[in-house]
Amino acid sequence: MNIVVLMKQVPDTYAERRLSPSDNTLDRAGVDAVINEIDEYAIEEGLLLKEAHGGEVTILTMGPDRATESIRKALSMGADKGVHVVDEALHGSCAITTAKVLAKALGTLEYDLVIAGSEATDSRLSVVPALLSEALGVPQLSGARKVTVDGSDITIERATETGFARVQASGPAVVSVVEKINEPRYPSFKGIMAAKSKPVQQLSLSDLGIGADEVGLAASTTTVQSFEQAPPRAAGTVVKDEGNGGSAIAEYLASKKLI
């Protein structure tokens, strides 16, 4: 079974993230970068399916040069190889363009299953897996908390507010997973050493037959028109209970038009 896991490198969620004043895009260079948290669950699920059914796991990412660091970490977890789509013209690409580029990159690979995290912590759009399945013309199974494979049949348990729904499709398919699906493994020392020699293929836009004018900020369907720094947090209001605590809180909330 050939499994491709989509992985995105994002700014560390514990770091202070900013927009760049030059083009209103996320300043990725000024903060530490990590694997998108839910993508680690996607990687783990790919590895578990490989261990159960054989085959190989390929990590596919689109991002700047430094995204190679995250690919190497994914390889140290146990993935077999990486594909890195990197081109300066991709800077500022929207979700639709990203899905288009990833679909082109997948066209260079053999795959039975594509696994992705349900969302990225830097955008929170949760649309790339659906856009990708549309671009590839294959089924999408979203919000998986469990994945089982039987031949070409792929079944997931989709997490819902009241429990789960069982959804099935024939592969190849795109599956997006949630954080309840497993517990990602830590890279072992042996895995870290082995990752250094695993192949990582770089693809440019020209390799994929995509023009530079089709991607990037100029071709983006969404843009940030302007932004302002958040104002400093104001001092809080302390309500002392001197026998009238309840009414004092109610008066305060009413003054803020919260009740």
Side-chain angles (χ1 to χ4, degrees):
M1 167 177 267
N2 293 317
I3 302 166
V4 177
V5 178
L6 305 184
M7 186 274 296
K8 184 177 185 181
Q9 187 184 66
V10 298
D12 192 333
T13 52
Y14 292 100
E16 184 178 358
R17 290 166 286 181
R18 298 176 183 274
L19 294 177
S20 172
S22 61
D23 59 7
N24 295 351
T25 62
L26 184 62
D27 180 6
R28 298 180 183 278
V31 295
D32 292 336
V34 297
I35 294 178
N36 179 50
E37 182 179 357
I38 301 181
D39 292 352
E40 293 198 24
Y41 295 83
I43 295 167
E44 177 65 27
E45 194 61 24
L47 296 175
L48 292 173
L49 289 172
K50 171 192 167 183
E51 291 166 0
H53 301 280
E56 64 177 14
V57 175
T58 301
I59 303 299
L60 171 60
T61 193
M62 172 182 129
D65 288 333
R66 69 186 304 196
T68 301
E69 302 165 6
S70 293
I71 294 175
R72 289 294 174 194
K73 180 181 178 183
L75 296 178
S76 71
M77 292 172 67
D80 298 282
K81 62 182 180 180
V83 176
H84 184 187
V85 182
V86 55
D87 198 299
E88 291 184 1
L90 289 168
H91 173 72
S93 293
C94 63
I96 293 175
T97 301
T98 298
K100 175 182 176 182
V101 173
L102 292 174
K104 284 283 189 178
L106 280 162
T108 69
L109 304 170
E110 293 184 3
Y111 62 92
D112 303 297
L113 177 63
V114 178
I115 306 177
S118 57
E119 66 176 6
T121 56
D122 60 349
S123 60
R124 300 286 189 189
L125 291 177
S126 304
V127 297
V128 168
L131 291 169
L132 181 61
S133 68
E134 176 68 18
L136 294 172
V138 302
Q140 185 211 4
L141 298 93
S142 60
R145 70 172 195 177
K146 182 179 181 181
V147 180
T148 55
V149 176
D150 183 6
S152 62
D153 292 333
I154 302 165
T155 304
I156 70 161
E157 289 183 5
R158 174 181 294 158
T160 68
E161 292 184 356
T162 55
F164 69 89
R166 186 170 287 111
V167 185
Q168 187 177 67
S170 295
V174 176
V175 173
S176 62
V177 304
V178 297
E179 65 276 9
K180 296 178 181 177
I181 194 166
N182 55 47
E183 187 65 34
R185 68 193 69 184
Y186 290 102
S188 65
F189 178 74
K190 181 180 178 182
I192 293 172
M193 296 305 293
K196 295 180 179 180
S197 59
K198 290 182 178 178
V200 177
Q201 180 186 15
Q202 287 198 341
L203 295 174
S204 66
L205 287 176
S206 61
D207 293 329
L208 300 176
I210 300 174
D213 60 340
E214 300 177 61
V215 301
L217 194 58
S220 177
T221 57
T222 56
T223 57
V224 176
Q225 296 297 313
S226 64
F227 70 92
E228 296 179 359
Q229 297 296 331
R233 179 174 294 181
T237 299
V238 178
V239 177
K240 293 183 178 180
D241 185 5
E242 297 176 346
N244 62 340
S247 59
I249 291 175
E251 290 174 2
Y252 173 76
L253 294 175
S255 70
K256 299 297 181 182
K257 299 182 179 179
L258 296 174
I259 60 174

